[in-house]
Amino acid sequence: MPYAVRRTGQAVLVIVATFVLAFLLLHALPGDAIVARYASPELGLTAAQLQELREVYGADQPIWVQLWQSAAGFLTGDLGTSLQSGADVEALIATALPSTLALASLGFAVAVLLAVGIAVAATFSGAEWLRRAFRSLPPLFVSIPVFWLGIVLLQVVSFRLGLVPVINANPVEALVLPVLTIAVPIAAPLAQVLIRSIDDTVAEPFIAVARSRGASPRWLLSKEVARNSLLPTLTIAGVLFGELIAGAVVTETVFARTGLGRLTQEAVATRDIPVLQAIVVISAVGFVAINLAVDLVAPAIDPRLRKAVHA
Amino acid sequence: MSALLTIDDLAVSYRARRERRTVVHGVSLELQRGEVLALVGESGSGKTTIGQSIIGLLPEGGRIERGGVHLELAGGPVDLTKLAPRAMQQLRGARVALVPQDPGTSLNPVQTIGDSVAAPLRIHRWGTKEAIRRRVLDLLERVGLDDPARRARQYPHELSGGMRQRALIAAAIALEPDLIVADEPTSALDVTVQRRILDLLADLRAELGSSVLLITHDLAVAAERADDIAVLRAGRLEEHGAARTVLREPQSDYTAALLADAPALSDASPRLPRLAAQPLVTIDALVHDYGRRGAGTGADAFRAVDDVGLQIAPGTTHALVGESGSGKTTIGRALAGFHRPSSGAIRIGELDVLAERGSRRLRRAVQLVSQNPFASLDPRRTIGQTIGEPLQNLPLGDGGVRDRRLLAERVAAALQQVALPAETADRLPRELSGGQRQRVAIARALIIEPQVVVLDEAVSALDVTVQSQILELLERLQRELGLTYLFITHDLAVVRRIADTVTVLRRGRAVETGTAQQVLTSPRHEYTQALLEAVPAPDWLRDARRGQEARTSTGQLEVA
């Protein structure tokens, strides 16, 4: 299928471009990584010792050579060495990734459930005041900052009400509040887009025709509206993946969880360039993969896109 | 025979911006079992609202104020306005079915045709999966779709408008309803397709014994197809009676005016051609290819216009007639300099249109008025700004005007020319009716005094009365200013009224060209004959036209 091949090719190109751009930007920071890490006066290293360190880390090479070496490393699975801890970056990532993946995927699933629930209640529930109430939820959710929500949830749900323990919690309990924290700001734009596209679909003449055939509201929602409203929402869902990464940084910091977000925060604080480079590339791969999946799934949902696909 | 449907003093209101506005004021109607009642009226007459009240699907804000809609069913009479929502749901699609207006948007785009047709059967739990599958194939075959098994698997965008309307009819008759509400079922279709769809509806009605409520703006369709006609105006019943009586001896002045304005019902002869020695517009061997990979190559290439030539004498109207996809708009836009054809030549007097494309000289020679008066005006600019804009774009000394007072004067004059009050200049498009907007579009085209105006379906979106007024305006402007029109239309009845000469297009080719009189009364090409035959008209009018044709041909014989 040429469409799939073309889109995959584009995806790979985006990842390569991200890698190069991230590398160049990180190395364009004033002073190189070695200076940032070791040149502080407390360590008392001489200029000669710093130069030696540079040679060890390969930082004395021209930037193109460094880029090439780094790229070759990424392709063979060698992501480099953390300047901060001296540990292999791939080991750091391997410890951080599973916990973040659990947080992100659960958070996203909860966000989808929340968004669908709000959107359906806002468009199909019986009473008008109820529909209005649900319609005002997404704008409210959008304006809630993630860190604030995390702290409030901790304070109220955990400390005051004692509903979910955060100290000595089992892995499931430990996930409840972070997942909620990360889900709400993602559910909000999703619900907004979903409400909007349900509204648009319901206004279409074919919905009136379906009603004229005797369709019940339930039938309308499940057989006529759902699939038509899905596509715009799916596209937004792909874009919101970026939000998920940003959300993980704040959430993991607030709840003191290990994970990619926490690792990012620490790496930024200490300017741990190899770690940052790896995180940027992994995020890009995730982002591109999800949007690629959305693009490849879209024709399955809307037959009108299939023609363009084959052309 | 008893009445299947009795509407008794029905009044319907809408809530608009916090106030209630009554749109149907106590209408009473009767529809006999097995008959066709046409509900005729212009836009805003309340005809669609009555249809929606019957089927229980008034849009949000709509409410039945008083009156009843009684349906005589096997189980006894029911008042549809008093039925509980769930009971109404059970009637909809089963006893009362809808054939909607626009087949383009009335089918779920992500559902197969088979699923759309099966929907009423599934909703009303008609039978097993397998039984429904077989019934769908039967229905598709019954409405004249070839290869039903394949059609059932296709999606709406893969079918033509006529085929989609057939599928919608199949879904409507799936449960053999007592009443079919057909709301403008053929308004979005070409005239030859319209004829076949109306024939199909008539056949099915006879076969199933259903009654049809035919909602239409087109008196000619009503005249040809209905047993009874009800004429509505502003939510009130103007006239109700047997079709023949209403059409031949209308009791109300309004009906009489509608009949006079309906071009399809006129038995006037086509214009006698006014001849001139030298044509003003010459189109020669015009070819236009659409396609992605250059002209004429690749699988996507499509020849929209194929070797078309025509001439228009100064001060006359040439009609370009054809169904959708015939290439008529492509020719019109090429003449107006909007796109470059693949090959051919177009001249307006001494002006080579293709060489002058985009030049001020061409802009001053030819202007375009397009179909949709709602989309062709900028909603945020006042009418005065819109009409004055062309003058501001032309260079000074070449017809351009910059002086504000002079500009206002020219705009006022242009408004007067199209019979709009001078205050219109300060209004916004949304404050005007469709007819007024089309006058504005004409004023904008005329303000730089072009020689030629391309009118692309310029009256197609208008009600007959308004259409008639606009046609009159165009005729007057032509007389006064000596304008030359290229009049693009799908409506042969309008051609009869306005054209001197005609070209009939089919799939990009000119199948017939000649004087309006010759083409409309003694067409040579079978496609022209089919087009003329498809124009809806009651039998007595056809007879009258045949008489006219006979007179014309004997007249020609005498000359010869």
Side-chain angles (χ1 to χ4, degrees):
Chain A
M1 203 156 119
Y3 171 75
V5 173
R6 206 172 62 231
R7 285 294 293 115
T8 313
Q10 285 169 353
V12 170
L13 216 65
V14 168
I15 292 168
V16 171
T18 311
F19 176 83
V20 174
L21 208 65
F23 189 89
L24 294 179
L25 282 175
L26 287 171
H27 286 261
L29 292 174
D32 60 32
I34 308 299
V35 175
R37 173 70 185 88
Y38 296 104
S40 69
E42 303 111 76
L43 289 173
L45 293 175
T46 63
Q49 285 170 312
L50 278 177
Q51 188 54 37
E52 220 169 284
L53 275 167
R54 277 212 184 85
E55 273 162 37
V56 171
Y57 285 108
D60 58 334
Q61 307 268 357
I63 191 156
W64 298 112
V65 177
Q66 291 184 46
L67 176 64
W68 178 247
Q69 283 169 346
S70 175
F74 269 79
L75 284 179
T76 54
D78 173 17
L79 307 186
T81 313
S82 164
L83 291 175
Q84 179 67 23
S85 59
D88 280 350
V89 176
E90 51 279 24
L92 288 176
I93 301 269
T95 18
L97 198 58
S99 127
T100 303
L101 271 184
L103 175 68
S105 48
L106 273 173
F108 195 73
V110 170
V112 168
L113 286 178
L114 212 57
V116 169
I118 291 172
V120 170
T123 47
F124 273 81
S125 66
E128 202 187 332
W129 65 267
L130 205 62
R131 291 204 296 269
R132 282 197 190 179
F134 276 101
R135 259 166 210 272
S136 58
L137 277 184
L140 180 73
F141 282 3
V142 163
S143 27
I144 297 178
V146 183
F147 69 90
W148 182 86
L149 179 66
I151 293 168
V152 168
L153 281 177
L154 261 182
Q155 286 290 338
V156 177
V157 179
S158 189
F159 298 161
R160 283 283 162 78
L161 304 175
L163 291 177
V164 185
V166 281
I167 300 156
N168 292 329
N170 65 37
V172 177
E173 289 169 340
L175 265 173
V176 174
L177 293 184
V179 162
L180 268 180
T181 309
I182 208 170
V184 165
I186 289 170
L190 262 186
Q192 272 174 326
V193 172
L194 198 52
I195 289 174
R196 178 70 196 271
S197 61
I198 290 178
D199 283 346
D200 288 349
T201 309
V202 168
E204 293 270 355
F206 68 82
I207 295 297
V209 171
R211 291 178 66 199
S212 84
R213 310 279 186 241
S216 61
R218 194 202 197 99
W219 174 285
L220 282 183
L221 182 61
S222 64
K223 308 269 172 172
E224 311 281 344
V225 176
R227 206 162 142 193
N228 277 289
S229 310
L230 197 58
L231 201 57
T233 318
L234 201 65
T235 312
I236 289 296
V239 175
L240 282 174
F241 180 79
E243 199 73 16
L244 212 55
I245 297 168
V249 174
V250 179
T251 311
E252 287 176 356
T253 310
V254 169
F255 288 93
R257 288 173 57 84
T258 49
L260 220 51
R262 188 79 182 285
L263 193 63
T264 311
Q265 186 257 326
E266 282 164 6
V268 169
T270 58
R271 230 202 266 179
D272 200 341
I273 289 172
V275 175
L276 284 177
Q277 176 77 16
I279 289 173
V280 168
V281 171
I282 286 173
S283 308
V285 169
F287 195 79
V288 166
I290 284 194
N291 282 286
L292 179 64
V294 167
D295 282 354
L296 294 182
V297 163
I301 294 171
D302 192 337
R304 284 167 298 181
L305 297 172
R306 283 174 216 166
K307 215 170 162 186
V309 166
H310 292 303
Chain B
M1 202 178 271
S2 71
L4 171 80
L5 175 77
T6 313
I7 299 177
D8 184 22
D9 192 30
L10 181 74
V12 185
S13 72
Y14 278 105
R15 194 186 55 219
R17 292 200 205 112
R18 291 179 185 282
E19 56 179 313
R20 275 212 166 261
R21 216 160 48 82
T22 308
V23 293
V24 176
H25 307 264
V27 168
S28 301
L29 288 170
E30 251 182 28
L31 169 56
Q32 304 300 320
R33 199 170 277 280
E35 292 204 338
V36 179
L37 168 65
L39 216 50
V40 181
E42 302 188 280
S43 43
S45 62
K47 55 188 193 300
T48 292
T49 304
I50 293 176
Q52 288 167 334
S53 309
I54 293 169
I55 210 155
L57 288 179
L58 282 173
E60 206 154 319
R63 189 169 76 195
I64 292 175
E65 292 290 331
R66 61 165 201 275
V69 177
H70 304 279
L71 198 62
E72 200 69 39
L73 292 177
V78 284
D79 183 349
L80 299 181
T81 60
K82 306 226 163 28
L83 228 46
R86 200 163 276 265
M88 191 65 216
Q89 246 173 47
Q90 275 164 12
L91 279 186
R92 275 203 289 266
R95 310 290 14 115
V96 185
L98 175 76
V99 176
Q101 171 163 15
D102 180 4
T105 54
S106 294
L107 285 163
N108 188 338
V110 302
Q111 234 171 41
T112 61
I113 296 298
D115 281 338
S116 286
V117 175
L121 298 165
R122 290 188 186 136
I123 289 167
H124 296 282
R125 300 177 199 287
W126 179 78
T128 62
K129 235 180 176 163
E130 177 55 26
I132 288 178
R133 198 188 62 82
R134 266 183 283 123
R135 172 82 176 146
V136 166
L137 296 183
D138 282 351
L139 285 166
L140 290 177
E141 184 159 16
R142 179 64 199 85
V143 296
L145 282 172
D146 58 313
D147 198 354
R150 189 166 70 95
R151 296 292 175 216
R153 284 193 306 271
Q154 284 182 311
Y155 288 91
H157 69 272
E158 299 172 272
L159 267 56
S160 71
M163 278 154 52
R164 283 182 229 174
Q165 193 59 299
R166 282 174 196 272
L168 282 159
I169 291 173
I173 61 161
L175 291 158
E176 307 191 350
D178 298 282
L179 173 63
I180 298 171
V181 177
D183 187 357
E184 302 272 12
T186 56
S187 304
L189 302 173
D190 278 328
V191 58
T192 49
V193 183
Q194 161 170 297
R195 175 160 208 84
R196 293 198 288 268
I197 294 291
L198 290 173
D199 282 345
L200 172 66
L201 269 175
D203 286 354
L204 291 169
R205 183 182 56 83
E207 190 183 308
L208 305 173
S210 310
S211 307
V212 175
L213 182 73
L214 179 65
I215 298 171
T216 180
H217 70 284
D218 190 341
L219 259 174
V221 167
E224 187 184 82
R225 301 290 172 166
D227 299 298
D228 286 351
I229 292 183
V231 181
L232 284 166
R233 181 198 195 182
R236 291 194 167 80
L237 199 59
E238 279 284 331
E239 188 147 5
H240 181 198
R244 208 184 164 83
T245 322
V246 170
L247 290 166
R248 305 196 82 170
E249 296 138 29
Q251 300 300 305
S252 107
D253 294 344
Y254 177 70
T255 314
L258 269 188
L259 286 167
D261 287 336
L265 292 176
S266 130
D267 53 3
S269 318
R271 264 193 196 180
L272 284 170
R274 294 166 289 173
L275 295 173
Q278 204 66 34
L280 176 67
V281 177
T282 313
I283 295 178
D284 204 20
L286 194 71
V287 175
H288 194 103
D289 293 311
Y290 287 110
R292 290 214 271 174
R293 298 180 203 94
T297 57
D300 302 339
F302 165 67
R303 183 151 286 193
V305 178
D306 191 2
D307 192 20
V308 171
L310 59 90
Q311 298 187 335
I312 314 175
T316 69
T317 302
H318 186 89
L320 218 47
V321 189
E323 299 189 285
S324 43
S326 62
K328 54 191 193 298
T329 293
T330 306
I331 296 173
R333 293 181 70 85
L335 172 58
F338 280 107
H339 54 215
R340 171 177 290 282
S342 307
S343 67
I346 305 177
R347 305 189 71 82
I348 298 175
E350 291 301 302
L351 198 69
D352 182 346
V353 172
L354 302 185
E356 294 278 342
R357 227 165 57 84
S359 79
R360 308 267 188 225
R361 277 207 294 170
L362 179 64
R363 283 282 141 265
R364 296 208 61 186
V366 55
Q367 283 288 314
L368 177 82
V369 175
S370 62
Q371 169 167 13
N372 191 333
F374 294 87
S376 67
L377 300 179
D378 186 334
R380 279 177 203 82
R381 314 190 71 180
T382 65
I383 299 306
Q385 285 170 334
T386 295
I387 294 178
E389 188 183 10
L391 292 178
Q392 291 175 298
N393 289 339
L394 287 177
L396 275 171
D398 195 14
V401 177
R402 298 292 182 275
D403 180 61
R404 289 178 78 180
R405 214 166 40 101
L406 207 61
L407 203 63
E409 272 171 30
R410 290 285 297 275
V411 168
L415 283 169
Q416 196 186 1
Q417 217 167 33
V418 296
L420 285 174
E423 306 88 86
T424 316
D426 302 323
R427 302 275 198 80
L428 286 171
R430 64 161 181 270
E431 300 171 63
L432 304 185
S433 70
Q436 287 171 323
R437 286 178 215 215
Q438 204 56 301
R439 284 173 193 267
V440 170
I442 292 168
R444 173 176 56 183
L446 294 186
I447 197 160
I448 55 174
E449 296 160 7
Q451 297 168 277
V452 179
V453 182
V454 177
L455 298 151
D456 188 357
E457 300 274 11
V459 296
S460 304
L462 305 172
D463 281 327
V464 279
T465 327
V466 183
Q467 185 179 67
S468 174
Q469 288 160 1
I470 297 288
L471 289 174
E472 239 161 64
L473 170 72
L474 289 171
E475 282 173 320
R476 177 170 66 75
L477 291 169
Q478 183 167 54
R479 270 198 315 275
E480 289 174 8
L481 308 172
L483 294 168
T484 305
Y485 293 147
L486 179 67
F487 194 94
I488 298 170
T489 182
H490 68 281
D491 190 345
L492 276 164
V494 173
V495 173
R496 175 182 285 271
R497 158 116 188 230
I498 196 164
D500 297 287
T501 47
V502 182
T503 298
V504 181
L505 289 170
R506 184 191 199 187
R507 290 186 203 136
R509 287 183 161 275
V511 297
E512 184 154 0
T513 184
T515 66
Q517 193 191 31
Q518 178 198 337
V519 172
L520 292 178
T521 58
S522 42
R524 289 203 201 93
H525 196 276
E526 56 183 50
Y527 178 67
T528 317
Q529 288 162 7
L531 272 184
L532 281 167
E533 197 53 37
V535 173
D539 294 338
W540 49 265
L541 185 62
R542 280 182 205 280
D543 294 344
R545 283 196 185 142
R546 274 193 203 103
Q548 191 184 88
E549 185 181 317
R551 278 198 307 281
T552 323
S553 43
T554 41
Q556 278 171 345
L557 274 179
E558 275 164 20
V559 175

